[in-house]
Every structure is written in structure tokens, then in C-alpha cells.
Amino acid sequence: MTVRQQVLVLYLGTSALDSPVVGWSVYDGTGRTSPTTGDSDEPPYKSGVDALRDGWRLFQAAQLIPPYPGSEYDVSFLKHEFFFEKLAEGSVGPEGVAAG
Amino acid sequence: MAHFVAHGSLRLDAVVPAEMNAEAIGFLGRGVPGVPYGSAVADAYPEGSFARRLLDIPAVAGALRSLVGPHPRVDHHAVHVRDPREGSAQPLHGDAIIDVRTDAFDVQLMYYPQDVTLDMGGTLSVPGSHLRRTNETDTGRYQNLLGQSRLVCPAGTVVFLHHGLWHGGRRNDSDAVRYMFKIRFNPAVRQRRLWDTSDLEDPRVAEELMTTFPWYEPATGRLEIYNRVLLWRSLTGDESFDLEHWVTRVSNRPQEEVA
């Protein structure tokens, strides 16, 4: 069996894993799907915990970093980023075609 | 203007006449030669040229004057062509480099000469993202945000974007070639009370400026409002303007000493 990683990135409303999803991205190592920018208006899960319940394994959460002095009111990237993985059968050949 | 300050965009549906749209589709595919940065509109687009006629449409001219004032400079322009079933989307990005101006902004005119359907992959934009300090495609990791705007519009639509708004061309999954013509403008005057300000005291102005978007984290969303207040103060010259007392409260430094 060839196993590849599927990665889900959820951006949550607060630093709590059970807070609502406000943004999302998917990267599929099996090559079976090609998610991209602006392809859905509906989030795959309502919260980070919902993703856990569906079998996604959390492997990274954003650190809580205090604002830099003088930049307390600046707005920039989304702060509450959580990375999940699933392992799935499949692989991608050098031409990008699903081979497994 | 309050809508533009909150959303970072202004959309004018089907303001360009059908005959001009047909004309545009004929030449946009061949590309449009560039013009020097900072050109006056009259120098960049001679009388009678397509771009000049586009900018002379009353609704377009009025919006442009309200946003950046008279005689703006043409920063640059570009034709964006998305081929049928091309399989890729632009990453979410802001144009140029981080632009930290708080008392001025450029606008990007985006003109769509044909009907744009959802599967044609119209421009994606993120309402309320224009005050975020991010650099170009560093936001490329974000594929979808709650409340994003996937443009679907009738032919002849013109959209003005604040220079900082996150956006990108979506994947074209249709069989049609999609065209968009963009012009970026720099203001040549101070952007203060350039629009019809007769309704500044209308309570709907404050309501509009308090707009939040589904993708905002609640905490950061408050900072968005804070920054909008600062922008509104700059645009109106009213240094006492506030929403929910937020800027006033955190800038309160009484100097009077107890007798």
C-alpha cells in the first residue's frame, strides 16, 4: 500500500480548537483532488474539533505571540492557524497523474 | 464612501454599454501597450481611445473622482486573460508591496466586458481585508475565507478595489476565455471630502463602518474597526469621529493635574 499525506489547514476564530472555522485550505498528497484558491464558500468543518471527530489528526497550532510594541493595532495574517493530517492510499507520478 | 472604507471595494454593475463591451472583447486579447508610471489620464489615454471613453462614463468618472479626486495618475494597467479549463488559480494576494499609508490609498479599476459566471472563475476578493499589512502573495496559503466574494457579474461591470484588498483570479472551469482590464490610479490630491458628504451625519454611515465580516477573528475584527476609524478621520478631517468610543478611550491621556 502506498500512503500519502492529506493536509487540512483551518483558520479559527480564536486560539481555541473548538472555535468556529473562518478560513480553510486543503492540500492532497494523493493527487486525487486539486483544491485551490476560491473554490468553495462552505467550510469543510464548523470547528477544529469537528475535524478531529472526522479523523483528522492535529499536528500544529499557531503559537500565541504578544503584539510587538508599537504594532498593537496592526492587522495582518490570520492568527489562529491549525494544521491537520490524514493518511490516504495513493501517490502521484512525476507527471502529476494519480498512480496508486 | 463608508461602504468602500468598510469593504475595500465598490461595485458598479453593467455600467458600460454593450457596444463598448463588444469592442473590448475584440482587442483585449491582443493586449494593451503599457504607459509610463504616473502618466496623466489624458497622456495615457488620448481622447477617443477605449480607456478614455471607459473613464468618461459618468458613473465611472464619478466613482473615481470620489475615491481619488481629480486628475489621478495612471500607475499602470494590465489585461488579465484566463484561459478555458486552465486548471489553476492565482494565489490570494495584494498588489505591489506592503503599502502602509493610513492617509491615502490607490484604487484599482477592474472592468469585465462579458458576463462572468461562477464557473468562469471571476475575481476572488476578501471583503474588509484592505487594511491588513501583508506582502503580495504571502497570503497564498489561504484558499478560502468565510464570506469571500467570488465575482459573478453582468457584462460591463466595473469594480474599484482599495490597493490593499486581498484578491486573485479564480480558476476558469468554463469553455470561455475570460477577460478583465485593470487600471491602477494614484491620487494627485489629498483624499479628503472628495465625495458628496451631505449625509456625513446620517447614522447609517456609522452602521456601515461597523460592518464585520464572517472571516474576521473576533479580536482582530475589533482592530479592523479601530483602523477604519483612523481612516475615516483622515478622509473627513473630523478628528473627533469614533465608533463605540474605541479610539477615544485608548488615546485618552489627560494632561490636567489635580489642583
Side-chain angles (χ1 to χ4, degrees):
Chain A
M1 181 179 76
T2 305
V3 172
R4 290 290 181 267
Q5 191 181 31
Q6 294 176 309
V7 176
L8 168 69
V9 194
L10 295 182
Y11 299 90
L12 304 183
T14 79
S15 60
L17 190 53
D18 58 357
S19 65
V21 172
V22 299
W24 61 97
S25 301
V26 180
Y27 301 95
D28 188 351
T30 72
R32 285 194 290 271
T33 64
S34 300
T36 189
T37 307
D39 60 1
S40 173
D41 285 338
E42 292 298 320
Y45 300 101
K46 295 296 183 193
S47 75
V49 170
D50 279 358
L52 294 180
R53 287 175 177 155
D54 196 40
W56 289 90
R57 296 151 54 100
L58 177 69
F59 70 92
Q60 183 173 291
Q63 284 188 316
L64 290 175
I65 299 172
Y68 293 108
S71 300
E72 292 88 348
Y73 300 102
D74 285 354
V75 290
S76 182
F77 298 112
L78 293 163
K79 296 176 71 174
H80 310 303
E81 181 182 71
F82 293 78
F83 272 77
F84 299 82
E85 72 161 7
K86 266 186 181 177
L87 298 177
E89 287 189 49
S91 65
V92 176
E95 295 83 24
V97 177
Chain B
M1 182 57 76
H3 176 93
F4 184 84
V5 168
H7 286 72
S9 67
L10 176 66
R11 173 174 165 168
L12 306 173
D13 275 21
V15 290
V16 182
E19 60 271 18
M20 282 185 68
N21 295 330
E23 182 184 351
I25 289 174
F27 74 82
L28 287 181
R30 296 192 294 274
V32 179
V35 297
Y37 289 110
S39 296
V41 169
D43 296 333
Y45 308 122
E47 192 85 40
S49 65
F50 183 89
R52 184 69 171 274
R53 284 181 281 131
L54 174 69
L55 298 176
D56 283 343
I57 292 171
V60 175
L64 190 61
R65 186 183 174 95
S66 292
L67 292 167
V68 291
H71 311 302
R73 301 293 175 178
V74 176
D75 183 291
H76 70 284
H77 64 217
V79 178
H80 290 236
V81 181
R82 306 294 290 177
D83 288 327
R85 307 203 178 274
E86 61 183 352
S88 64
Q90 271 190 315
L92 205 57
H93 65 279
D95 284 351
I97 60 167
I98 301 174
D99 188 336
V100 298
R101 286 176 290 175
T102 57
D103 55 355
F105 56 84
D106 294 347
V107 294
Q108 306 222 75
L109 178 155
M110 294 183 171
Y111 159 57
Y112 301 85
Q114 65 207 123
D115 290 337
V116 178
T117 62
L118 189 62
D119 71 342
M120 285 170 72
T123 305
L124 175 76
S125 64
V126 183
S129 59
H130 51 299
L131 302 183
R132 301 239 166 182
R133 296 185 172 191
T134 59
N135 191 15
E136 225 268 332
T137 47
D138 285 351
T139 43
R141 184 181 294 172
Y142 308 149
Q143 290 178 347
N144 296 283
L145 296 170
L146 209 58
Q148 64 194 3
S149 171
R150 301 196 288 175
L151 185 71
V152 172
C153 67
T157 294
V158 170
V159 183
F160 288 95
L161 302 187
H162 182 287
H163 68 253
L165 200 76
W166 297 356
H167 67 282
R170 291 183 53 244
R171 179 169 58 188
N172 183 356
D173 289 329
S174 76
D175 293 322
V177 179
R178 181 169 67 79
Y179 298 99
M180 185 269 277
F181 182 47
K182 176 187 88 170
I183 310 174
R184 180 169 177 147
F185 293 97
N186 311 139
V189 298
R190 183 172 192 173
Q191 287 158 293
R192 175 161 290 180
R193 297 188 182 232
L194 297 174
W195 70 101
D196 176 1
T197 56
S198 58
D199 62 352
L200 272 187
E201 304 305 321
D202 191 318
R204 287 176 297 179
V205 169
E207 287 174 23
E208 187 70 45
L209 291 170
M210 284 294 287
T211 302
T212 60
F213 299 100
W215 66 278
Y216 280 180
E217 310 103 320
T220 308
R222 291 195 165 196
L223 298 181
E224 295 279 3
I225 304 293
Y226 178 97
N227 288 317
R228 273 184 221 158
V229 170
L230 300 184
L231 178 55
W232 193 250
R233 286 183 175 190
S234 177
L235 289 172
T236 61
D238 178 3
E239 290 301 316
S240 67
F241 180 82
D242 206 351
L243 297 167
E244 301 291 343
H245 203 57
W246 288 355
V247 177
T248 308
R249 179 187 298 129
V250 301
S251 57
N252 176 33
R253 296 285 184 84
Q255 297 301 307
E256 189 175 342
E257 306 217 12
V258 176

